[in-house]
Amino acid sequence: GEALAVSARVAPLGSRLVLLLVEDLTEARRIEAVRRDFVANVSHELKTPVGALSLLSEAVMDASDDPEAVMRFAGRMQIEATRLTNLVQELIDLSRVQNDDPLEDAEPVRVDELVAEAIDRSRQPASTKQITMAAGGTADLHVWGHRGQLAAALGNLVENAVNYSPAHTRVGIAARRVTAPGGDLIEIAVTDQGIGIPDKDKERIFERFYRVDPARSRATGGTGLGLAIVKHVAASHGGEVTVWSTEGQGSTFTLRLPEAGAGRDRATRSHHDH
Ligand code: ADP
């Protein structure tokens, strides 16, 4: 293709340069493809609920003399509208975490508060399924970062743990400090006894819109954006998110984030003072 043609043209300049140019082109093209795929995916994901809403409103009009049917269709319209709202909200969250530098607003954030907030966010669906949520080890730990983004990341992990678990199971959140050469890290692990993730999907679940089972994800109101947000937040804080899972038995998602203190907060504060 084009890259090859270019490489042929500049070949006399030496193979090193050619290699660099070809790599640059390949990278630029990869980014362009990712962007195009993203726009196509967003359009597709938006069209599904909008199409359903349009069909359902027609059905309501046709059924105007059958109040029971009208109520049924209206109920389904409400589900589609909720799905659309979730999708738009998650798109806004994603663009926000991608555009804002979290470390500009970084502060020490209490891990027990983050965990309490995440548990609170999933309290309703957890109680419906009688899933027990329990946290441990969070006392006296502080991470360094953007409170809102960190809350969104942990909230997504707990939400997924509840969504992808059967009734009467347990979701555990465990925090601890781990020593690392570049400064201590705080590890927050969210463990469920849910459906688990097949090995072949483990890498891809962090991609935008990727789902192991799109039908199931849609049924739980999923958007396929949650883990992309988590991954982005972890990386922009200088941390990471990893997954351990056995299909049919459960999953553990582990967030590793820089600990507050260890000079990080002081360094940034003096930077702000100038
Ligand atoms: P979704 O909105 O579909 O939950 P996510 O980006 O949060 O999107 O997750 C991507 C996919 O990863 C999900 O559709 C699901 O297949 C899988 N997944 C995420 N968390 C879990 C979990 N705790 N247990 C099993 N599968 C999970």
Side-chain angles (χ1 to χ4, degrees):
E2 217 173 280
L4 279 180
V6 169
S7 79
R9 235 178 296 135
V10 293
L13 293 176
S15 55
R16 261 262 184 74
L17 178 60
V18 171
L19 208 67
L20 285 175
L21 273 171
V22 172
E23 271 173 4
D24 263 8
L25 263 178
T26 315
E27 175 63 7
R29 212 177 269 181
R30 197 188 59 79
I31 292 170
E32 173 57 19
V34 167
R35 195 193 60 79
R36 223 181 306 117
D37 284 356
F38 180 64
V39 173
N41 282 332
V42 170
S43 317
H44 175 78
E45 297 293 333
L46 287 171
K47 270 184 191 160
T48 310
V50 169
L53 278 170
S54 156
L55 287 174
L56 284 163
S57 66
E58 268 175 45
V60 166
M61 286 188 259
D62 290 345
S64 55
D65 51 358
D66 180 353
E68 223 169 85
V70 167
M71 287 310 288
R72 205 169 57 239
F73 293 141
R76 283 174 54 193
M77 289 178 83
Q78 213 161 40
I79 293 172
E80 295 300 334
T82 303
R83 190 163 294 159
L84 204 52
T85 309
N86 287 346
L87 184 59
V88 170
Q89 186 55 53
E90 293 235 272
L91 280 169
I92 292 170
D93 288 349
L94 182 64
S95 89
R96 204 170 277 157
V97 304
Q98 284 180 339
N99 292 329
D100 298 354
D101 176 5
L103 299 184
E104 268 174 29
D105 294 311
E107 56 181 333
V109 181
R110 289 175 58 137
V111 173
D112 57 357
E113 284 179 9
L114 283 179
V115 169
E117 206 178 315
I119 288 179
D120 229 41
R121 208 172 110 173
S122 291
R123 203 174 287 287
Q124 177 69 53
S127 88
T128 308
K129 291 166 84 175
Q130 304 199 32
I131 289 173
T132 321
M133 296 189 287
T138 59
D140 297 328
L141 296 184
H142 296 77
V143 290
W144 178 241
H146 185 292
R147 179 183 299 275
Q149 291 197 11
L150 294 171
L154 192 62
N156 264 305
L157 291 182
V158 174
E159 198 176 304
N160 280 345
V162 170
N163 272 346
Y164 298 102
S165 291
H168 305 287
T169 54
R170 183 179 179 280
V171 169
I173 305 162
R176 60 179 190 140
R177 176 187 295 116
V178 283
T179 312
D184 284 0
L185 298 176
I186 302 294
E187 207 177 79
I188 310 174
V190 181
T191 299
D192 65 55
Q193 301 170 321
I195 60 175
I197 299 152
D199 279 336
K200 65 169 175 47
D201 297 301
K202 277 181 188 150
E203 291 283 321
R204 302 206 61 194
I205 52 173
F206 295 98
E207 292 172 17
R208 297 172 298 193
F209 295 118
Y210 189 83
R211 296 124 163 177
V212 175
D213 177 355
R216 183 191 176 108
S217 165
R218 225 171 286 127
T220 60
T223 59
L225 292 173
L227 288 179
I229 292 172
V230 177
K231 185 180 173 181
H232 198 93
V233 170
S236 64
H237 280 78
E240 61 170 6
V241 56
T242 54
V243 61
W244 178 93
S245 181
T246 305
E247 229 186 319
Q249 287 185 27
S251 312
T252 296
F253 284 83
T254 305
L255 260 178
R256 282 184 201 84
L257 297 162
E259 186 188 29
R264 281 187 188 96
D265 39 356
R266 260 169 285 128
T268 305
R269 218 167 277 144
S270 65
H271 168 79
H272 274 289
D273 285 346
H274 285 292

